[in-house]
Amino acid sequence: MPQVSMTVNGKATSGDVEGRTLLSSYLRDHLGLTGTHVGCDTSQCGACVVHVDGEAVKACTIFALEAEGAEVATIEGQANADGSLNVIQQAFQDHHGLQCGFCTPGMVMSAAALLKDNPKPSEAEVRAYLEGNICRCTGYHNIVKAILAASGQDVGAIAAE
Amino acid sequence: MYNFEFEQPGTIAEAAAALGSEDALALGGGQTLIPAMKQRLNAPGTLVSLSGIAEMKGVCLRDDGALSVGGGTIHATVAAQAGAHYPALAALASHIGDPAVRNRGTIGGSLANNDPAACYPSAVLGSGATVVTNTREIAADEFFQGMFTTALGEGEIIVEVRFPIPEKAHYEKFVQPASRFALTGVFVAKYADGVRVAVTGASEEGVFRWSEAEAALSGEFSAAAIEGLSVPADGMIGDLHGTPAYRASLVSTLTKRAVAAAH
């Protein structure tokens, strides 16, 4: 069985995988990092978004072997060093950006990828970037609000729709 | 999905050799192939990943003025880097799928698959681009041969696509919001020697050129020039998202919009 090695949240990992082992399965079943959620398994919903070498990808639609040697970041690595929530996670809590929470890991990872490239996005840019992240609870409004707040922008003016 | 042997060659030559083995299939970004394999619609014995081949990636301007896009270039790179030379192509790439899909999906993968509703085939056909493989050059007009069918031979790899840069162009996409493919999309490009109009998402034969509109627009490049022109509903795709007549109507509407927006 082929062996795969990659850095996950700053830690070196390796394991024996099949060719067909998805990155989502490697993270969840081999490493026990179950924060990466598999919602649809058809690359529609975005609950499994992680970063591979800094870019947001759907972990259910990339084989573990394709991430050989990569730097992978998952929701488990997002909190601050002291264990407190990072600015995006805290904003989701402050602005009620989640209800059931299933989509939240993907939302947070997508938001982090967006803010890395575009530190002060407009509301329209946030909504466009979340096109591949589906939430069935919130209606998105508070997610968008949380991401705008995490970017340091004033969200007081955004009225509920 | 069924298991397979995984190969990740570092050069085009190694990839071509690996694709010579029985039941071998090339893997671009996997954004279509992996879901298809999960459904067991595809079950290769060996999967040859092209994503480790550096010589097949990147966007650059050639000496002859054409824009060269490596076959393994992801949509996000085309969106970010093609804009200075070919804005309509960059804009098209920036609306394929969603951001995470654009970070994996490649132009070569999209073209080799030739989904009847994919965006890239319309840009390639609408630009009269050349598809360069590891063995030959294929003109766009020869490359697309019907739904999910191309001129590619067994094991042939798209290493580059060369786009002649038009004076003006625009891609107008009517999004199917669940799949984020084009319900119908029209790519219009105006060159010194004439206008090309390529339509995706509409025909049961896959991407096609609307020659009647091309002739009218080559005479006068304005939305008014194609007022009253339409494509027959016969042979258009009909599904729960739209009837053949609806798609035929979209073709003329989107063509007019693309012409008006071309710059």
Side-chain angles (χ1 to χ4, degrees), chain B residues 54-119:
Chain B
E55 59 185 313
M56 268 174 56
K57 292 183 186 180
V59 176
C60 70
L61 202 58
R62 286 165 48 87
D63 290 343
D64 65 7
L67 188 72
S68 162
V69 180
T73 309
I74 58 171
H75 310 324
T77 300
V78 176
Q81 295 180 12
H85 307 296
Y86 196 163
L89 181 68
L92 174 146
S94 73
H95 289 97
I96 296 172
D98 59 55
V101 167
R102 294 195 287 273
N103 283 334
R104 291 297 303 167
T106 66
I107 186 169
S110 169
L111 296 176
N113 188 50
N114 193 18
D115 188 294
C119 297

Side-chain angles (χ1 to χ4, degrees), chain B residues 170-194:
Chain B
H170 186 76
Y171 176 60
E172 191 71 24
K173 175 181 182 180
F174 193 89
V175 180
Q176 203 286 72
S179 72
R180 298 182 280 275
F181 274 85
L183 185 64
T184 292
V186 177
F187 195 97
V188 170
K190 179 181 186 296
Y191 289 89
D193 60 353

Side-chain angles (χ1 to χ4, degrees), chain A residues 2 18-22 41-45 49 52 55-58 60-63 65-68 110 128-134, chain B residues 1-6 8 27-32 34-35 37-39 47 49 51 97-104 175 178-180:
Chain A
E18 292 184 307
R20 63 181 167 182
T21 303
L22 298 163
D41 208 24
T42 58
S43 56
Q44 301 284 315
C45 81
V49 168
V52 175
E55 303 297 337
V57 305
K58 294 183 174 177
C60 82
T61 313
I62 169 175
F63 295 112
L65 287 166
E66 290 183 277
E68 169 67 34
S110 280
Y129 198 86
L130 295 181
E131 205 173 5
N133 290 84
I134 293 173
Chain B
M1 95 182 73
Y2 293 110
N3 200 18
F4 51 83
E5 296 292 321
F6 182 83
Q8 186 145 40
L27 173 68
Q31 301 305 286
T32 297
I34 295 175
M37 287 170 64
K38 288 179 182 179
Q39 296 183 343
L47 202 54
S49 168
S51 61
D98 59 55
V101 167
R102 294 195 287 273
N103 283 334
R104 291 297 303 167
V175 180
S179 72
R180 298 182 280 275

Side-chain angles (χ1 to χ4, degrees), chain B residues 117-137:
Chain B
C119 297
Y120 264 134
S122 70
V124 170
L125 190 61
S127 306
T130 302
V131 178
V132 183
T133 75
N134 54 323
T135 56
R136 59 185 171 140
E137 297 182 4

Side-chain angles (χ1 to χ4, degrees), chain A residues 20-136:
Chain A
R20 63 181 167 182
T21 303
L22 298 163
L23 180 59
S24 53
S25 167
Y26 178 70
L27 294 170
R28 291 177 54 85
D29 305 334
H30 293 244
L31 303 183
L33 297 174
T34 54
T36 297
H37 289 171
V38 179
C40 65
D41 208 24
T42 58
S43 56
Q44 301 284 315
C45 81
C48 69
V49 168
V50 300
H51 299 178
V52 175
D53 290 330
E55 303 297 337
V57 305
K58 294 183 174 177
C60 82
T61 313
I62 169 175
F63 295 112
L65 287 166
E66 290 183 277
E68 169 67 34
E71 298 270 347
V72 176
T74 72
I75 190 69
E76 286 89 348
Q78 293 299 296
N80 297 320
D82 64 1
S84 61
L85 298 180
N86 79 3
V87 64
I88 297 170
Q89 293 171 310
Q90 189 60 53
F92 270 69
Q93 186 178 72
D94 293 345
H95 295 278
H96 207 69
L98 63 150
Q99 288 178 30
C100 87
F102 191 87
C103 72
T104 312
M107 289 288 180
V108 169
M109 297 309 290
S110 280
L114 167 65
L115 297 182
K116 175 170 69 73
D117 293 335
N118 185 357
K120 299 279 179 205
S122 66
E123 181 181 341
E125 287 170 334
V126 173
R127 289 186 185 275
Y129 198 86
L130 295 181
E131 205 173 5
N133 290 84
I134 293 173
C135 172
R136 298 290 76 163

